[in-house]
Amino acid sequence: MINNMLSENCINLDLKGTNKGQIIDELVEMLNAAGKLNDKEEYKKEILKRESQSSTGLEEGIAIPHAKTSAVKVPSIAFGLSKAGVDYDSLDGEPSKLFFMIAAPANASDTHIEVLSKLTTTLLDDDIRERLLNATSPKEVIEILSIDTEKGEEHDKRDTGMPEVLAVTACPTGIAHTYMAADALIKKALAMGINIKVETNGSTGVKNELTDEEIKNAKGIIVAADKNVEMDRFAGKHVEIVPVKEGIKNPEKLIKNAVAQTAPIYSVSGEKTSSSSKKERTGFYKHIMSGVSNMLPFVVGGGILIALSFMFGIHASDPSDPSFNPLAKLLSDIGGGNAFFLMVPVMAGFIGMSIADRPGFAPAMVGGLISLNNGGGFLGGLIGGFLGGYSVVLLKKVFGKLPESLEGIKPVLLYPLFGIFITGALMYGVIIDPIAALNTGVTNFLETLGTGNLILLGAVLAGMMAVDMGGPVNKSSFTFGIAMIAAGNYAPHAAVMAGGMVPPLGIALATTFFRNKFTKDEREAGKVCYIMGLSFITEGAIPFAASDPIRVIPASVIGAAIAGGLSMFFGVLLPAPHGGIFVFPVVTNPVMYLVSVVIGSLVTAFILGTWKKPVSEI
């Protein structure tokens, strides 16, 4: 099987690349020239996507870039040797010399995936690496790997009895790191005389699944994973959760910690129990980020579709308007009427799921939907998500005393029935009315302020657009601007629109100019914020505001307020009931309007760059 996937024309014992990108290009080109790919560019895109999640550079001079995609024609491996070594962001910081690029088709069989994964585990053997470094021909490389891949299967079949330590390994692609971490843990445990069982969550599914009895009797559990795995089963056990690379790099430390039971006890709520406030903040942040990350595709996809609909005219989606265009209406209906409609409920649902696992999803999503339909907006959705999640946590404790024979009906009947009721009752009875009252109060305040200082009015209106970014405060400001247009006063709405553009544009600039203050994923999301800001989609800033509200919201409010005040100062008028670059043709004094938005965005970016701390994940 290994001979079918690694051919001599896919082996290069003298790679010329001097950096990571050049090495990837050489290996991809080798596979393409050998006829192993359907689409070279798409395959390379998937390789780079995997690298963006975490580098595939390991220790001991090994790097295993890999992807599973329909761009691959047949399961294949490309091997390259760089005698000088290349900086490949490896675990130990040392240059990488041995490169294995794995190409797996989207529909690859279990057999192919298992052979590919077995190949990666053989590379942990010092003798194999040394022989590969000294190989003089492609034929010799194939012989080394063919023999040792077969031998590498022996330890997986041993019977060790009830294991002291359990582990779960998983990586996003499920081909290389999943199995390398498993192999490293198994080999180290054998050397330490400790019985271990490792469950792998690879691309072919869960293998060597842990049983309830094994979990009950284990001293400690290691979860070395970069993707979600089933965690509820570990409630009450000492569980150490680390990235999958830690399983490869520090297996001995992890095993010792598991035996000594130094890891926190995992709770049924999905959080590590701890009395420290730092751990609690980490849990709160984790829940919010779970909601935000799953909401982001709706924000991005729906927002861009809405922006595209405006290209046909501000009112082109309205059948009663002379500028009506069917395509504009289709784009608006899909983006605004559906994708954006789901944004807040989805965020709330995944917050609830992060708190209480799958049973928390339905109550939390209903809480988010209630907020959306009753003026609660983004902030109400956050509250609904936490209400839904923690109501199920409470129910798990209450129903924990029921007979074991009723265990099966809890997730399908008891949790959704009572969870949805409790969440809905609290949302309707406690949450919605105060938010609606806040909305009304803010609107009344603006009406009284309108007769005073116009610059102050512009600053307040624009700043409000950045407070909750689509919630009641934001909508109050927007509604006031529309009312002013109806009254023939076009200046306030210009300030409102400027304020709505600043948060996403300011964040986009911050991710560009202060790259060390944001993670790689945040920098990628920041690029989308340019489009969101130019399209007057303030919601594009929500993921950043939700993950770091203490810094992002004040910075956004200050920058937006400055932009709104300047817009008033320059006497900008906007008769169109929308914003973004689409309305610039109808703005009076468009140059100074642009200046106002740019200055406000730069202020937001500078504040964020100053306040935020550098991140470790660059």
Side-chain angles (χ1 to χ4, degrees), residues 168-185:
V168 179
T169 62
C171 68
T173 308
I175 296 176
H177 292 66
T178 298
Y179 300 99
M180 295 188 77
D183 201 66
L185 288 165

Side-chain angles (χ1 to χ4, degrees), residues 261-438:
Q261 298 184 324
T262 60
I265 294 177
Y266 195 82
S267 74
V268 294
S269 67
E271 298 177 68
K272 299 173 187 176
T273 55
S274 172
S275 58
S276 76
S277 59
K278 181 177 181 181
K279 289 290 182 183
E280 291 172 6
R281 287 196 298 269
T282 301
F284 180 81
Y285 174 83
K286 170 196 163 190
H287 303 323
I288 290 181
M289 285 308 299
S290 177
V292 169
S293 62
N294 285 284
M295 174 189 71
L296 187 59
F298 294 86
V299 176
V300 175
I304 292 177
L305 287 174
I306 293 172
L308 290 173
S309 74
F310 292 141
M311 295 179 65
F312 297 92
I314 296 299
H315 301 291
S317 61
D318 183 358
S320 63
D321 192 86
S323 65
F324 173 69
N325 183 293
L327 180 56
K329 185 178 189 307
L330 178 65
L331 292 169
S332 179
D333 288 347
I334 296 172
N338 292 278
F340 255 43
F341 179 81
L342 289 170
M343 181 178 68
V344 171
V346 165
M347 176 192 70
F350 278 95
I351 287 174
M353 187 172 179
S354 176
I355 294 169
D357 293 323
R358 282 188 292 252
F361 184 79
M365 191 166 186
V366 170
L369 186 60
I370 291 172
S371 173
L372 178 69
N373 288 332
N374 293 275
F378 163 64
L379 293 178
L382 280 176
I383 296 171
F386 280 95
L387 281 178
Y390 283 111
S391 68
V392 173
V393 171
L394 175 63
L395 290 171
K396 285 184 176 182
K397 294 180 180 179
V398 172
F399 294 141
K401 300 177 182 179
L402 293 177
E404 190 172 336
S405 59
L406 298 177
E407 194 70 26
I409 70 169
K410 289 180 183 179
V412 297
L413 174 61
L414 299 181
Y415 295 151
L417 173 61
F418 290 97
I420 290 174
F421 172 74
I422 292 171
T423 303
L426 289 173
M427 288 296 292
Y428 278 118
V430 180
I431 304 301
I432 293 302
D433 286 345
I435 291 181
L438 174 65

Side-chain angles (χ1 to χ4, degrees), residues 516-529:
N516 66 321
K517 304 296 181 74
F518 298 89
T519 66
K520 186 175 294 184
D521 288 343
E522 287 174 332
R523 294 198 299 272
E524 289 300 313
K527 296 175 184 177
V528 179
C529 280

